[in-house]
Amino acid sequence: MLRSRFSQCSRIVASTSAAPLTACLHTSAALQATSARRRKQVVAEKKIAERRIEKQRLEELNRPHVVLGSRPGDDAKWSNCDLAKVLISEEQISSAPKPTVDPSGQLLLPEILNFGVGATEKEMLFETLPTLSAEFKTERAPVYKMQEEAVKAEAQELHKASTLATLLDLRNANAGGIAFANRQRIVAAFSEPGKPNDTGRPEVQAALVTYTIRKLWDHLSRMKKDVASRRNLRRLVHQRAKILKYLKRIDRDRYENVLQRLGLEPESVEGELVV
């Protein structure tokens, strides 16, 4: 029993004598301690990182749309550009006046006829042919009825011309007919004055591609699961950028002018484009 008491006392003495030694050798507080200079440096680095993230966020918000080419909230850039003014929409076609005959007997034709009917065809269908038909009918009539037949023939030809104009009105065309008319207007507006139908001109090609991109974007805003159209949209965006970069290499002034006419920002066609 005495031996057990001695062993307990020795363990107590050993434990109490080792406690101060371990306390002196403990270094966790020293490791956690940092200088005031280092703390200031850490705070400054955090602020710099926060400012960098905020700057990147603002740049992303102000970056022009890759497809539409304008900055967020800047819808006036598209509505005021030359391409938007050239295009005609279905609403404008439906609100346009229908072909009518005025009280003086003059046929009022619609502003735009269906695709395939240009200025030459319009003159032939509504001026030349009615006049020739009325003269032919008058010449075949007896002499004493020539004046009466002439008036009758003119009224008949005017009625025929009015019916034909109603049929050839662009409001009777489908989406393909309206797109064809818009492409004709784009080619005429963006060609050189001396070359009215120069479809190989870079400005004309960029305008036609931009028009197709706008149509696809409107379609995808309604049909979000159309994967094939989304792939075509991505291809057209890069094709437009390729055309405009080529124009930038050969003539910087023409490049800047066509960007303004198409309502595009330079950032929407330069650099990496993620669609």
Side-chain angles (χ1 to χ4, degrees):
M1 185 168 184
L2 182 61
R3 186 178 297 174
S4 62
R5 292 293 182 180
F6 276 121
S7 61
Q8 290 179 0
C9 291
S10 62
R11 285 197 297 270
I12 293 172
V13 172
S15 62
T16 55
S17 61
L21 182 60
T22 56
C24 294
L25 295 177
H26 188 67
T27 58
S28 61
L31 291 175
Q32 294 177 359
T34 56
S35 62
R37 182 178 180 182
R38 177 57 184 167
R39 287 195 297 269
K40 290 181 180 179
Q41 184 179 0
V42 171
V43 172
E45 290 176 354
K46 288 183 178 179
K47 290 182 179 180
I48 292 173
E50 291 175 357
R51 287 198 296 268
R52 186 184 298 113
I53 294 173
E54 182 65 18
K55 183 179 179 180
Q56 292 177 354
R57 188 182 67 84
L58 292 177
E59 288 179 354
E60 290 294 332
L61 291 176
N62 295 326
R63 186 184 299 275
H65 199 281
V66 179
V67 177
L68 302 180
S70 58
R71 301 187 186 278
D74 191 11
D75 298 334
K77 188 174 185 64
W78 164 251
S79 58
N80 295 331
C81 71
D82 293 345
L83 180 58
K85 294 177 181 178
V86 166
L87 300 178
I88 183 168
S89 62
E90 296 181 6
E91 291 77 12
Q92 293 175 334
I93 295 172
S94 59
S95 61
K98 296 181 180 180
T100 55
V101 179
D102 61 3
S104 63
Q106 185 70 23
L107 176 62
L108 301 179
L109 296 174
E111 181 181 358
I112 305 175
L113 295 175
N114 215 325
F115 61 95
V117 183
T120 305
E121 291 79 10
K122 183 187 294 186
E123 180 181 0
M124 180 182 65
L125 292 174
F126 300 103
E127 295 180 13
T128 306
L129 288 180
T131 303
L132 292 176
S133 298
E135 291 178 355
F136 179 73
K137 291 179 181 179
T138 304
E139 290 176 356
R140 296 182 61 183
V143 178
Y144 63 93
K145 287 187 177 181
M146 275 190 176
Q147 185 175 2
E148 181 182 353
E149 288 294 331
V151 175
K152 184 179 179 181
E154 289 179 0
Q156 289 178 350
E157 294 302 324
L158 182 62
H159 176 71
K160 290 180 182 179
S162 177
T163 304
L164 181 61
T166 303
L167 293 175
L168 293 179
D169 192 357
L170 194 60
R171 73 180 69 245
N172 296 324
N174 56 5
I178 297 174
F180 185 88
N182 279 326
R183 285 194 293 269
Q184 282 185 327
R185 294 164 67 91
I186 291 171
V187 172
F190 285 84
S191 297
E192 289 185 273
K195 299 179 181 179
N197 295 315
D198 187 9
T199 56
R201 184 176 170 84
E203 289 89 339
V204 176
Q205 295 181 6
L208 290 173
V209 174
T210 302
Y211 168 63
T212 308
I213 287 172
R214 284 272 177 174
K215 285 182 58 183
L216 271 179
W217 180 257
D218 294 338
H219 169 74
L220 287 172
S221 62
R222 300 187 302 269
M223 306 294 180
K224 300 183 182 297
K225 295 184 180 181
D226 192 349
V227 180
S229 295
R230 191 173 300 278
R231 184 166 56 249
N232 291 334
L233 177 67
R234 187 181 299 111
R235 178 181 58 82
L236 289 172
V237 168
H238 287 88
Q239 180 181 351
R240 178 179 64 184
K242 185 177 180 180
I243 295 170
L244 291 175
K245 287 177 183 177
Y246 164 76
L247 185 60
K248 182 181 179 180
R249 287 197 306 269
I250 62 174
D251 196 329
R252 185 63 180 263
D253 294 336
R254 287 171 59 186
Y255 166 75
E256 294 177 353
N257 183 33
V258 76
L259 283 182
Q260 184 177 2
R261 296 186 67 188
L262 297 178
L264 301 175
E265 294 288 345
E267 294 86 352
S268 63
V269 297
E270 297 176 358
E272 183 179 2
L273 303 179
V274 181
V275 185

